[in-house]
PDB file of all heavy atoms in Angstrom:
ATOM      1  N   ASN A  82     -56.432   4.448  89.008  1.00  0.00           N
ATOM      2  CA  ASN A  82     -55.650   4.175  90.225  1.00  0.00           C
ATOM      3  C   ASN A  82     -56.305   4.788  91.460  1.00  0.00           C
ATOM      4  O   ASN A  82     -56.326   4.166  92.533  1.00  0.00           O
ATOM      5  CB  ASN A  82     -54.222   4.721  90.067  1.00  0.00           C
ATOM      6  CG  ASN A  82     -53.425   3.956  89.020  1.00  0.00           C
ATOM      7  OD1 ASN A  82     -53.705   2.772  88.753  1.00  0.00           O
ATOM      8  ND2 ASN A  82     -52.449   4.606  88.403  1.00  0.00           N
ATOM      9  N   LYS A  83     -56.868   5.991  91.317  1.00  0.00           N
ATOM     10  CA  LYS A  83     -57.556   6.632  92.451  1.00  0.00           C
ATOM     11  C   LYS A  83     -58.819   5.851  92.810  1.00  0.00           C
ATOM     12  O   LYS A  83     -59.171   5.715  93.992  1.00  0.00           O
ATOM     13  CB  LYS A  83     -57.916   8.082  92.107  1.00  0.00           C
ATOM     14  CG  LYS A  83     -56.713   9.018  91.968  1.00  0.00           C
ATOM     15  CD  LYS A  83     -56.133   9.362  93.320  1.00  0.00           C
ATOM     16  CE  LYS A  83     -54.890  10.244  93.153  1.00  0.00           C
ATOM     17  NZ  LYS A  83     -55.056  11.599  93.524  1.00  0.00           N
ATOM     18  N   LEU A  84     -59.501   5.327  91.800  1.00  0.00           N
ATOM     19  CA  LEU A  84     -60.695   4.520  92.056  1.00  0.00           C
ATOM     20  C   LEU A  84     -60.336   3.247  92.810  1.00  0.00           C
ATOM     21  O   LEU A  84     -61.034   2.856  93.757  1.00  0.00           O
ATOM     22  CB  LEU A  84     -61.391   4.178  90.741  1.00  0.00           C
ATOM     23  CG  LEU A  84     -62.675   3.342  90.843  1.00  0.00           C
ATOM     24  CD1 LEU A  84     -63.731   4.055  91.675  1.00  0.00           C
ATOM     25  CD2 LEU A  84     -63.223   3.041  89.454  1.00  0.00           C
ATOM     26  N   GLU A  85     -59.244   2.623  92.421  1.00  0.00           N
ATOM     27  CA  GLU A  85     -58.790   1.419  93.120  1.00  0.00           C
ATOM     28  C   GLU A  85     -58.408   1.739  94.569  1.00  0.00           C
ATOM     29  O   GLU A  85     -58.714   0.979  95.490  1.00  0.00           O
ATOM     30  CB  GLU A  85     -57.576   0.829  92.393  1.00  0.00           C
ATOM     31  CG  GLU A  85     -57.879   0.175  91.060  1.00  0.00           C
ATOM     32  CD  GLU A  85     -58.370  -1.246  91.227  1.00  0.00           C
ATOM     33  OE1 GLU A  85     -59.581  -1.412  91.503  1.00  0.00           O
ATOM     34  OE2 GLU A  85     -57.552  -2.170  91.104  1.00  0.00           O
ATOM     35  N   GLU A  86     -57.778   2.875  94.741  1.00  0.00           N
ATOM     36  CA  GLU A  86     -57.295   3.278  96.066  1.00  0.00           C
ATOM     37  C   GLU A  86     -58.434   3.681  96.998  1.00  0.00           C
ATOM     38  O   GLU A  86     -58.380   3.434  98.213  1.00  0.00           O
ATOM     39  CB  GLU A  86     -56.317   4.453  95.900  1.00  0.00           C
ATOM     40  CG  GLU A  86     -55.646   4.898  97.189  1.00  0.00           C
ATOM     41  CD  GLU A  86     -54.702   6.068  96.953  1.00  0.00           C
ATOM     42  OE1 GLU A  86     -54.369   6.356  95.780  1.00  0.00           O
ATOM     43  OE2 GLU A  86     -54.291   6.701  97.944  1.00  0.00           O
ATOM     44  N   HIS A  87     -59.485   4.289  96.447  1.00  0.00           N
ATOM     45  CA  HIS A  87     -60.584   4.803  97.264  1.00  0.00           C
ATOM     46  C   HIS A  87     -61.916   4.167  96.865  1.00  0.00           C
ATOM     47  O   HIS A  87     -62.964   4.823  96.886  1.00  0.00           O
ATOM     48  CB  HIS A  87     -60.687   6.328  97.109  1.00  0.00           C
ATOM     49  CG  HIS A  87     -59.442   7.072  97.479  1.00  0.00           C
ATOM     50  ND1 HIS A  87     -59.124   7.419  98.768  1.00  0.00           N
ATOM     51  CD2 HIS A  87     -58.426   7.537  96.696  1.00  0.00           C
ATOM     52  CE1 HIS A  87     -57.967   8.081  98.785  1.00  0.00           C
ATOM     53  NE2 HIS A  87     -57.522   8.169  97.532  1.00  0.00           N
ATOM     54  N   SER A  88     -61.901   2.913  96.513  1.00  0.00           N
ATOM     55  CA  SER A  88     -63.092   2.249  95.975  1.00  0.00           C
ATOM     56  C   SER A  88     -64.270   2.273  96.941  1.00  0.00           C
ATOM     57  O   SER A  88     -65.428   2.328  96.516  1.00  0.00           O
ATOM     58  CB  SER A  88     -62.763   0.799  95.595  1.00  0.00           C
ATOM     59  OG  SER A  88     -62.265   0.101  96.726  1.00  0.00           O
ATOM     60  N   ASP A  89     -64.006   2.247  98.243  1.00  0.00           N
ATOM     61  CA  ASP A  89     -65.096   2.232  99.222  1.00  0.00           C
ATOM     62  C   ASP A  89     -65.713   3.613  99.438  1.00  0.00           C
ATOM     63  O   ASP A  89     -66.791   3.720 100.019  1.00  0.00           O
ATOM     64  CB  ASP A  89     -64.590   1.696 100.573  1.00  0.00           C
ATOM     65  CG  ASP A  89     -64.181   0.232 100.483  1.00  0.00           C
ATOM     66  OD1 ASP A  89     -64.684  -0.461  99.575  1.00  0.00           O
ATOM     67  OD2 ASP A  89     -63.352  -0.205 101.299  1.00  0.00           O
ATOM     68  N   GLU A  90     -65.030   4.650  98.971  1.00  0.00           N
ATOM     69  CA  GLU A  90     -65.505   6.016  99.220  1.00  0.00           C
ATOM     70  C   GLU A  90     -66.223   6.620  98.024  1.00  0.00           C
ATOM     71  O   GLU A  90     -67.186   7.381  98.182  1.00  0.00           O
ATOM     72  CB  GLU A  90     -64.316   6.932  99.568  1.00  0.00           C
ATOM     73  CG  GLU A  90     -63.441   6.445 100.704  1.00  0.00           C
ATOM     74  CD  GLU A  90     -62.137   7.227 100.773  1.00  0.00           C
ATOM     75  OE1 GLU A  90     -62.195   8.465 100.584  1.00  0.00           O
ATOM     76  OE2 GLU A  90     -61.066   6.617 100.966  1.00  0.00           O
ATOM     77  N   ILE A  91     -65.767   6.317  96.810  1.00  0.00           N
ATOM     78  CA  ILE A  91     -66.232   7.024  95.617  1.00  0.00           C
ATOM     79  C   ILE A  91     -67.647   6.598  95.228  1.00  0.00           C
ATOM     80  O   ILE A  91     -67.938   5.420  95.061  1.00  0.00           O
ATOM     81  CB  ILE A  91     -65.245   6.803  94.448  1.00  0.00           C
ATOM     82  CG1 ILE A  91     -63.919   7.486  94.780  1.00  0.00           C
ATOM     83  CG2 ILE A  91     -65.817   7.357  93.143  1.00  0.00           C
ATOM     84  CD1 ILE A  91     -62.793   7.169  93.834  1.00  0.00           C
ATOM     85  N   THR A  92     -68.511   7.600  95.094  1.00  0.00           N
ATOM     86  CA  THR A  92     -69.926   7.374  94.783  1.00  0.00           C
ATOM     87  C   THR A  92     -70.244   7.607  93.313  1.00  0.00           C
ATOM     88  O   THR A  92     -71.189   7.043  92.781  1.00  0.00           O
ATOM     89  CB  THR A  92     -70.802   8.316  95.641  1.00  0.00           C
ATOM     90  OG1 THR A  92     -70.471   8.131  97.017  1.00  0.00           O
ATOM     91  CG2 THR A  92     -72.282   8.041  95.450  1.00  0.00           C
ATOM     92  N   LEU A  93     -69.429   8.437  92.653  1.00  0.00           N
ATOM     93  CA  LEU A  93     -69.745   8.824  91.274  1.00  0.00           C
ATOM     94  C   LEU A  93     -68.458   9.282  90.590  1.00  0.00           C
ATOM     95  O   LEU A  93     -67.565   9.850  91.242  1.00  0.00           O
ATOM     96  CB  LEU A  93     -70.790   9.938  91.287  1.00  0.00           C
ATOM     97  CG  LEU A  93     -71.279  10.532  89.970  1.00  0.00           C
ATOM     98  CD1 LEU A  93     -72.775  10.881  90.072  1.00  0.00           C
ATOM     99  CD2 LEU A  93     -70.512  11.824  89.620  1.00  0.00           C
ATOM    100  N   LEU A  94     -68.360   9.051  89.280  1.00  0.00           N
ATOM    101  CA  LEU A  94     -67.223   9.504  88.489  1.00  0.00           C
ATOM    102  C   LEU A  94     -67.681  10.540  87.473  1.00  0.00           C
ATOM    103  O   LEU A  94     -68.659  10.335  86.756  1.00  0.00           O
ATOM    104  CB  LEU A  94     -66.582   8.326  87.741  1.00  0.00           C
ATOM    105  CG  LEU A  94     -65.579   8.683  86.630  1.00  0.00           C
ATOM    106  CD1 LEU A  94     -64.325   9.344  87.213  1.00  0.00           C
ATOM    107  CD2 LEU A  94     -65.198   7.443  85.816  1.00  0.00           C
ATOM    108  N   VAL A  95     -66.957  11.677  87.416  1.00  0.00           N
ATOM    109  CA  VAL A  95     -67.140  12.666  86.368  1.00  0.00           C
ATOM    110  C   VAL A  95     -65.849  12.687  85.566  1.00  0.00           C
ATOM    111  O   VAL A  95     -64.780  12.961  86.119  1.00  0.00           O
ATOM    112  CB  VAL A  95     -67.432  14.065  86.946  1.00  0.00           C
ATOM    113  CG1 VAL A  95     -67.531  15.096  85.828  1.00  0.00           C
ATOM    114  CG2 VAL A  95     -68.710  14.055  87.764  1.00  0.00           C
ATOM    115  N   THR A  96     -65.927  12.369  84.275  1.00  0.00           N
ATOM    116  CA  THR A  96     -64.710  12.218  83.489  1.00  0.00           C
ATOM    117  C   THR A  96     -64.740  13.011  82.196  1.00  0.00           C
ATOM    118  O   THR A  96     -65.786  13.146  81.549  1.00  0.00           O
ATOM    119  CB  THR A  96     -64.448  10.730  83.171  1.00  0.00           C
ATOM    120  OG1 THR A  96     -63.225  10.617  82.425  1.00  0.00           O
ATOM    121  CG2 THR A  96     -65.574  10.109  82.362  1.00  0.00           C
ATOM    122  N   ASP A  97     -63.574  13.523  81.826  1.00  0.00           N
ATOM    123  CA  ASP A  97     -63.376  14.089  80.500  1.00  0.00           C
ATOM    124  C   ASP A  97     -63.269  12.921  79.512  1.00  0.00           C
ATOM    125  O   ASP A  97     -63.066  11.768  79.921  1.00  0.00           O
ATOM    126  CB  ASP A  97     -62.090  14.918  80.511  1.00  0.00           C
ATOM    127  CG  ASP A  97     -61.852  15.660  79.206  1.00  0.00           C
ATOM    128  OD1 ASP A  97     -62.818  15.869  78.460  1.00  0.00           O
ATOM    129  OD2 ASP A  97     -60.687  16.020  78.935  1.00  0.00           O
ATOM    130  N   ILE A  98     -63.378  13.215  78.222  1.00  0.00           N
ATOM    131  CA  ILE A  98     -63.194  12.172  77.215  1.00  0.00           C
ATOM    132  C   ILE A  98     -61.768  12.161  76.696  1.00  0.00           C
ATOM    133  O   ILE A  98     -61.065  11.149  76.778  1.00  0.00           O
ATOM    134  CB  ILE A  98     -64.189  12.347  76.052  1.00  0.00           C
ATOM    135  CG1 ILE A  98     -65.618  12.123  76.554  1.00  0.00           C
ATOM    136  CG2 ILE A  98     -63.880  11.362  74.917  1.00  0.00           C
ATOM    137  CD1 ILE A  98     -65.874  10.747  77.134  1.00  0.00           C
ATOM    138  N   GLU A  99     -61.300  13.290  76.173  1.00  0.00           N
ATOM    139  CA  GLU A  99     -59.956  13.349  75.608  1.00  0.00           C
ATOM    140  C   GLU A  99     -58.934  13.610  76.706  1.00  0.00           C
ATOM    141  O   GLU A  99     -58.856  14.712  77.237  1.00  0.00           O
ATOM    142  CB  GLU A  99     -59.884  14.453  74.537  1.00  0.00           C
ATOM    143  CG  GLU A  99     -60.813  14.228  73.355  1.00  0.00           C
ATOM    144  CD  GLU A  99     -60.473  12.971  72.578  1.00  0.00           C
ATOM    145  OE1 GLU A  99     -59.397  12.398  72.804  1.00  0.00           O
ATOM    146  OE2 GLU A  99     -61.291  12.562  71.733  1.00  0.00           O
ATOM    147  N   MET A 100     -58.159  12.578  77.048  1.00  0.00           N
ATOM    148  CA  MET A 100     -57.120  12.693  78.074  1.00  0.00           C
ATOM    149  C   MET A 100     -55.919  11.857  77.657  1.00  0.00           C
ATOM    150  O   MET A 100     -56.071  10.850  76.951  1.00  0.00           O
ATOM    151  CB  MET A 100     -57.642  12.188  79.431  1.00  0.00           C
ATOM    152  CG  MET A 100     -58.762  12.995  80.035  1.00  0.00           C
ATOM    153  SD  MET A 100     -59.259  12.377  81.677  1.00  0.00           S
ATOM    154  CE  MET A 100     -60.053  10.820  81.225  1.00  0.00           C
ATOM    155  N   PRO A 101     -54.722  12.236  78.093  1.00  0.00           N
ATOM    156  CA  PRO A 101     -53.545  11.410  77.799  1.00  0.00           C
ATOM    157  C   PRO A 101     -53.545  10.130  78.639  1.00  0.00           C
ATOM    158  O   PRO A 101     -54.297  10.000  79.599  1.00  0.00           O
ATOM    159  CB  PRO A 101     -52.374  12.323  78.186  1.00  0.00           C
ATOM    160  CG  PRO A 101     -52.949  13.253  79.209  1.00  0.00           C
ATOM    161  CD  PRO A 101     -54.379  13.465  78.823  1.00  0.00           C
ATOM    162  N   ASN A 102     -52.694   9.191  78.256  1.00  0.00           N
ATOM    163  CA  ASN A 102     -52.467   7.916  78.964  1.00  0.00           C
ATOM    164  C   ASN A 102     -53.674   6.971  78.891  1.00  0.00           C
ATOM    165  O   ASN A 102     -53.538   5.817  78.525  1.00  0.00           O
ATOM    166  CB  ASN A 102     -52.071   8.140  80.430  1.00  0.00           C
ATOM    167  CG  ASN A 102     -50.779   8.933  80.548  1.00  0.00           C
ATOM    168  OD1 ASN A 102     -49.852   8.716  79.761  1.00  0.00           O
ATOM    169  ND2 ASN A 102     -50.713   9.852  81.488  1.00  0.00           N
ATOM    170  N   MET A 103     -54.836   7.455  79.250  1.00  0.00           N
ATOM    171  CA  MET A 103     -56.056   6.661  79.135  1.00  0.00           C
ATOM    172  C   MET A 103     -57.221   7.637  78.986  1.00  0.00           C
ATOM    173  O   MET A 103     -57.435   8.471  79.864  1.00  0.00           O
ATOM    174  CB  MET A 103     -56.259   5.775  80.377  1.00  0.00           C
ATOM    175  CG  MET A 103     -57.503   4.886  80.315  1.00  0.00           C
ATOM    176  SD  MET A 103     -57.815   4.031  81.894  1.00  0.00           S
ATOM    177  CE  MET A 103     -56.445   2.902  81.947  1.00  0.00           C
ATOM    178  N   ASN A 104     -57.944   7.556  77.868  1.00  0.00           N
ATOM    179  CA  ASN A 104     -59.031   8.515  77.666  1.00  0.00           C
ATOM    180  C   ASN A 104     -60.289   8.081  78.423  1.00  0.00           C
ATOM    181  O   ASN A 104     -60.331   7.017  79.039  1.00  0.00           O
ATOM    182  CB  ASN A 104     -59.303   8.751  76.180  1.00  0.00           C
ATOM    183  CG  ASN A 104     -59.827   7.511  75.460  1.00  0.00           C
ATOM    184  OD1 ASN A 104     -60.560   6.707  76.036  1.00  0.00           O
ATOM    185  ND2 ASN A 104     -59.452   7.357  74.197  1.00  0.00           N
ATOM    186  N   GLY A 105     -61.316   8.914  78.344  1.00  0.00           N
ATOM    187  CA  GLY A 105     -62.534   8.647  79.105  1.00  0.00           C
ATOM    188  C   GLY A 105     -63.253   7.391  78.667  1.00  0.00           C
ATOM    189  O   GLY A 105     -63.856   6.686  79.488  1.00  0.00           O
ATOM    190  N   PHE A 106     -63.216   7.072  77.355  1.00  0.00           N
ATOM    191  CA  PHE A 106     -63.836   5.842  76.869  1.00  0.00           C
ATOM    192  C   PHE A 106     -63.132   4.621  77.462  1.00  0.00           C
ATOM    193  O   PHE A 106     -63.762   3.668  77.926  1.00  0.00           O
ATOM    194  CB  PHE A 106     -63.766   5.766  75.343  1.00  0.00           C
ATOM    195  CG  PHE A 106     -64.582   6.817  74.637  1.00  0.00           C
ATOM    196  CD1 PHE A 106     -64.085   7.482  73.530  1.00  0.00           C
ATOM    197  CD2 PHE A 106     -65.863   7.142  75.073  1.00  0.00           C
ATOM    198  CE1 PHE A 106     -64.835   8.440  72.878  1.00  0.00           C
ATOM    199  CE2 PHE A 106     -66.623   8.096  74.427  1.00  0.00           C
ATOM    200  CZ  PHE A 106     -66.096   8.755  73.322  1.00  0.00           C
ATOM    201  N   GLU A 107     -61.783   4.661  77.431  1.00  0.00           N
ATOM    202  CA  GLU A 107     -61.005   3.524  77.940  1.00  0.00           C
ATOM    203  C   GLU A 107     -61.193   3.362  79.444  1.00  0.00           C
ATOM    204  O   GLU A 107     -61.294   2.235  79.944  1.00  0.00           O
ATOM    205  CB  GLU A 107     -59.525   3.727  77.603  1.00  0.00           C
ATOM    206  CG  GLU A 107     -59.228   3.696  76.106  1.00  0.00           C
ATOM    207  CD  GLU A 107     -57.862   4.264  75.749  1.00  0.00           C
ATOM    208  OE1 GLU A 107     -57.302   5.036  76.560  1.00  0.00           O
ATOM    209  OE2 GLU A 107     -57.369   3.934  74.662  1.00  0.00           O
ATOM    210  N   LEU A 108     -61.243   4.496  80.155  1.00  0.00           N
ATOM    211  CA  LEU A 108     -61.462   4.438  81.598  1.00  0.00           C
ATOM    212  C   LEU A 108     -62.827   3.835  81.901  1.00  0.00           C
ATOM    213  O   LEU A 108     -62.956   2.952  82.757  1.00  0.00           O
ATOM    214  CB  LEU A 108     -61.361   5.847  82.197  1.00  0.00           C
ATOM    215  CG  LEU A 108     -61.721   5.994  83.676  1.00  0.00           C
ATOM    216  CD1 LEU A 108     -60.823   5.121  84.549  1.00  0.00           C
ATOM    217  CD2 LEU A 108     -61.641   7.462  84.113  1.00  0.00           C
ATOM    218  N   THR A 109     -63.850   4.281  81.190  1.00  0.00           N
ATOM    219  CA  THR A 109     -65.200   3.746  81.401  1.00  0.00           C
ATOM    220  C   THR A 109     -65.248   2.251  81.098  1.00  0.00           C
ATOM    221  O   THR A 109     -65.861   1.473  81.837  1.00  0.00           O
ATOM    222  CB  THR A 109     -66.211   4.500  80.510  1.00  0.00           C
ATOM    223  OG1 THR A 109     -66.180   5.887  80.846  1.00  0.00           O
ATOM    224  CG2 THR A 109     -67.619   3.966  80.719  1.00  0.00           C
ATOM    225  N   GLN A 110     -64.613   1.858  80.010  1.00  0.00           N
ATOM    226  CA  GLN A 110     -64.623   0.444  79.613  1.00  0.00           C
ATOM    227  C   GLN A 110     -63.950  -0.417  80.680  1.00  0.00           C
ATOM    228  O   GLN A 110     -64.434  -1.500  81.016  1.00  0.00           O
ATOM    229  CB  GLN A 110     -63.900   0.285  78.276  1.00  0.00           C
ATOM    230  CG  GLN A 110     -64.265  -0.967  77.524  1.00  0.00           C
ATOM    231  CD  GLN A 110     -63.906  -0.874  76.055  1.00  0.00           C
ATOM    232  OE1 GLN A 110     -63.089  -0.056  75.644  1.00  0.00           O
ATOM    233  NE2 GLN A 110     -64.535  -1.709  75.245  1.00  0.00           N
ATOM    234  N   ARG A 111     -62.843   0.077  81.212  1.00  0.00           N
ATOM    235  CA  ARG A 111     -62.143  -0.694  82.254  1.00  0.00           C
ATOM    236  C   ARG A 111     -63.006  -0.800  83.506  1.00  0.00           C
ATOM    237  O   ARG A 111     -63.075  -1.855  84.146  1.00  0.00           O
ATOM    238  CB  ARG A 111     -60.803  -0.038  82.591  1.00  0.00           C
ATOM    239  CG  ARG A 111     -60.055  -0.778  83.699  1.00  0.00           C
ATOM    240  CD  ARG A 111     -58.672  -0.213  83.979  1.00  0.00           C
ATOM    241  NE  ARG A 111     -57.732  -0.540  82.929  1.00  0.00           N
ATOM    242  CZ  ARG A 111     -56.406  -0.424  83.067  1.00  0.00           C
ATOM    243  NH1 ARG A 111     -55.898   0.024  84.216  1.00  0.00           N
ATOM    244  NH2 ARG A 111     -55.606  -0.728  82.085  1.00  0.00           N
ATOM    245  N   ILE A 112     -63.668   0.299  83.866  1.00  0.00           N
ATOM    246  CA  ILE A 112     -64.530   0.281  85.052  1.00  0.00           C
ATOM    247  C   ILE A 112     -65.681  -0.693  84.869  1.00  0.00           C
ATOM    248  O   ILE A 112     -65.986  -1.496  85.760  1.00  0.00           O
ATOM    249  CB  ILE A 112     -65.065   1.705  85.330  1.00  0.00           C
ATOM    250  CG1 ILE A 112     -63.930   2.605  85.838  1.00  0.00           C
ATOM    251  CG2 ILE A 112     -66.210   1.681  86.342  1.00  0.00           C
ATOM    252  CD1 ILE A 112     -64.293   4.070  85.950  1.00  0.00           C
ATOM    253  N   ARG A 113     -66.320  -0.654  83.698  1.00  0.00           N
ATOM    254  CA  ARG A 113     -67.478  -1.520  83.463  1.00  0.00           C
ATOM    255  C   ARG A 113     -67.100  -2.993  83.354  1.00  0.00           C
ATOM    256  O   ARG A 113     -67.946  -3.867  83.565  1.00  0.00           O
ATOM    257  CB  ARG A 113     -68.217  -1.076  82.196  1.00  0.00           C
ATOM    258  CG  ARG A 113     -68.890   0.287  82.315  1.00  0.00           C
ATOM    259  CD  ARG A 113     -69.902   0.319  83.453  1.00  0.00           C
ATOM    260  NE  ARG A 113     -70.623   1.595  83.532  1.00  0.00           N
ATOM    261  CZ  ARG A 113     -70.849   2.252  84.639  1.00  0.00           C
ATOM    262  NH1 ARG A 113     -70.391   1.765  85.793  1.00  0.00           N
ATOM    263  NH2 ARG A 113     -71.522   3.389  84.639  1.00  0.00           N
ATOM    264  N   SER A 114     -65.840  -3.279  83.039  1.00  0.00           N
ATOM    265  CA  SER A 114     -65.420  -4.673  82.950  1.00  0.00           C
ATOM    266  C   SER A 114     -65.078  -5.271  84.311  1.00  0.00           C
ATOM    267  O   SER A 114     -64.806  -6.464  84.433  1.00  0.00           O
ATOM    268  CB  SER A 114     -64.196  -4.805  82.032  1.00  0.00           C
ATOM    269  OG  SER A 114     -63.081  -4.116  82.580  1.00  0.00           O
ATOM    270  N   ASP A 115     -65.110  -4.428  85.352  1.00  0.00           N
ATOM    271  CA  ASP A 115     -64.834  -4.878  86.718  1.00  0.00           C
ATOM    272  C   ASP A 115     -66.159  -4.893  87.484  1.00  0.00           C
ATOM    273  O   ASP A 115     -66.780  -3.841  87.670  1.00  0.00           O
ATOM    274  CB  ASP A 115     -63.835  -3.927  87.382  1.00  0.00           C
ATOM    275  CG  ASP A 115     -63.292  -4.461  88.703  1.00  0.00           C
ATOM    276  OD1 ASP A 115     -64.098  -4.985  89.502  1.00  0.00           O
ATOM    277  OD2 ASP A 115     -62.077  -4.342  88.938  1.00  0.00           O
ATOM    278  N   GLU A 116     -66.580  -6.059  87.927  1.00  0.00           N
ATOM    279  CA  GLU A 116     -67.898  -6.191  88.564  1.00  0.00           C
ATOM    280  C   GLU A 116     -68.029  -5.368  89.830  1.00  0.00           C
ATOM    281  O   GLU A 116     -69.138  -5.019  90.245  1.00  0.00           O
ATOM    282  CB  GLU A 116     -68.200  -7.651  88.861  1.00  0.00           C
ATOM    283  CG  GLU A 116     -67.216  -8.317  89.820  1.00  0.00           C
ATOM    284  CD  GLU A 116     -67.567  -9.774  90.070  1.00  0.00           C
ATOM    285  OE1 GLU A 116     -68.354 -10.341  89.279  1.00  0.00           O
ATOM    286  OE2 GLU A 116     -67.038 -10.334  91.052  1.00  0.00           O
ATOM    287  N   ARG A 117     -66.910  -5.001  90.430  1.00  0.00           N
ATOM    288  CA  ARG A 117     -66.981  -4.176  91.640  1.00  0.00           C
ATOM    289  C   ARG A 117     -67.579  -2.796  91.344  1.00  0.00           C
ATOM    290  O   ARG A 117     -68.165  -2.161  92.217  1.00  0.00           O
ATOM    291  CB  ARG A 117     -65.582  -3.985  92.237  1.00  0.00           C
ATOM    292  CG  ARG A 117     -64.947  -5.234  92.807  1.00  0.00           C
ATOM    293  CD  ARG A 117     -63.524  -4.940  93.259  1.00  0.00           C
ATOM    294  NE  ARG A 117     -62.685  -4.522  92.133  1.00  0.00           N
ATOM    295  CZ  ARG A 117     -61.478  -3.952  92.278  1.00  0.00           C
ATOM    296  NH1 ARG A 117     -61.007  -3.687  93.492  1.00  0.00           N
ATOM    297  NH2 ARG A 117     -60.774  -3.616  91.202  1.00  0.00           N
ATOM    298  N   TYR A 118     -67.411  -2.317  90.111  1.00  0.00           N
ATOM    299  CA  TYR A 118     -67.828  -0.959  89.775  1.00  0.00           C
ATOM    300  C   TYR A 118     -68.955  -0.940  88.737  1.00  0.00           C
ATOM    301  O   TYR A 118     -69.197   0.090  88.100  1.00  0.00           O
ATOM    302  CB  TYR A 118     -66.636  -0.170  89.229  1.00  0.00           C
ATOM    303  CG  TYR A 118     -65.402  -0.242  90.089  1.00  0.00           C
ATOM    304  CD1 TYR A 118     -64.189  -0.690  89.567  1.00  0.00           C
ATOM    305  CD2 TYR A 118     -65.441   0.121  91.434  1.00  0.00           C
ATOM    306  CE1 TYR A 118     -63.048  -0.757  90.357  1.00  0.00           C
ATOM    307  CE2 TYR A 118     -64.303   0.050  92.229  1.00  0.00           C
ATOM    308  CZ  TYR A 118     -63.111  -0.387  91.683  1.00  0.00           C
ATOM    309  OH  TYR A 118     -61.986  -0.459  92.461  1.00  0.00           O
TER     310      TYR A 118
END
């Protein structure tokens, strides 16, 4: 959600792997499936 909100500003993502709601693998997969990112 923060990436969507600040897509024009964010240059790099640093992510943990084990997280509630959406883990780092799922977050990465969602980002890579969107051509904008």
Side-chain angles (χ1 to χ4, degrees):
N82 292 334
K83 292 285 177 108
L84 181 60
E85 288 277 82
E86 185 180 346
H87 302 277
S88 58
D89 294 336
E90 306 167 41
I91 293 171
T92 305
L93 179 144
L94 167 66
V95 176
T96 181
D97 185 21
I98 294 300
E99 298 297 348
M100 295 183 290
N102 299 321
M103 181 188 291
N104 65 34
F106 294 138
E107 294 164 339
L108 173 59
T109 300
Q110 201 161 19
R111 178 175 287 195
I112 289 171
R113 293 301 184 225
S114 64
D115 191 316
E116 61 180 17
R117 292 175 298 166
Y118 310 124

